[in-house]
């Protein structure tokens, strides 16, 4: 876990609203979650459906401490969809799935508290 993810870290530097708008965070439904044994750190390979415009995208997520493949399928999560794809071992990760650290610093994925249409943008 990065030091800036720690709950005791100060707020990041001030940015303009236009900077925030550059980060495209969308909601999608996990349609597949598989083990990713080739990853350096324990991870799952996620396929997330962001609706008809963005479609399905893949993500490598280091979430194995708090999530299982079974509990993720069908769940809505949030992800940054406009970063360039990143090679993670043999897989191309196309989106950054978002979460918060638990008390031990392990990732807890975030999503809406009630169902919303896939592809909706965070505002």
């Amino acid at each position: 876990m990065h030091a800036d993810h720690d709950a005791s870290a100060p707020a990041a530097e001030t940015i303009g609203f236009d900077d925030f708008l550059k980060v495209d965070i969308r909601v999608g439904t996990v349609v597949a979650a598989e083990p990713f044994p080739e990853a350096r750190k324990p991870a799952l390979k996620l396929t997330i459906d962001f609706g008809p415009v963005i479609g399905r995208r893949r993500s490598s997520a280091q979430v194995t401490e708090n999530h299982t493949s079974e509990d993720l399928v069908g769940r809505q999560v949030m992800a940054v969809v406009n970063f360039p794809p990143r090679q993670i071992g043999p897989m191309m990760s196309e989106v950054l799935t978002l979460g918060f650290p638990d008390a031990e610093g392990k990732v807890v994925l975030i999503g809406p508290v009630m169902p919303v249409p896939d592809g909706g943008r965070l505002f």
Side-chain angles (χ1 to χ4, degrees), residues 19 73 101:
D19 292 323
V73 173

Side-chain angles (χ1 to χ4, degrees), residues 12-122:
E13 67 180 87
T14 300
I15 62 171
F17 192 67
D18 287 345
D19 292 323
F20 171 71
L21 292 177
K22 291 176 185 176
V23 182
D24 192 353
I25 300 172
R26 303 286 181 125
V27 64
T29 298
V30 177
V31 295
E34 310 155 61
F36 190 10
E38 304 92 345
R40 247 183 345 185
K41 296 181 180 175
L44 294 173
K45 289 188 277 190
L46 305 180
T47 302
I48 306 166
D49 186 352
F50 292 97
V53 176
I54 294 174
R56 292 182 173 194
R57 301 281 176 94
R58 304 276 313 238
S59 181
S60 170
Q62 295 174 7
V63 297
T64 56
E65 292 90 352
N66 287 315
H67 300 286
T68 64
S69 296
E70 295 77 25
D71 80 38
L72 286 175
V73 173
R75 176 178 170 169
Q76 287 191 302
V77 295
M78 294 168 51
V80 176
V81 299
N82 66 330
F83 284 145
R86 196 168 153 214
Q87 190 75 43
I88 310 286
M91 177 192 159
M92 189 63 75
S93 187
E94 301 169 301
V95 299
L96 175 66
T97 309
L98 300 174
F100 287 110
D102 67 10
E104 283 77 47
K106 310 301 183 193
V107 179
V108 175
L109 292 177
I110 59 169
V113 296
M114 61 183 62
V116 297
D118 286 332
R121 186 170 178 176
L122 179 73

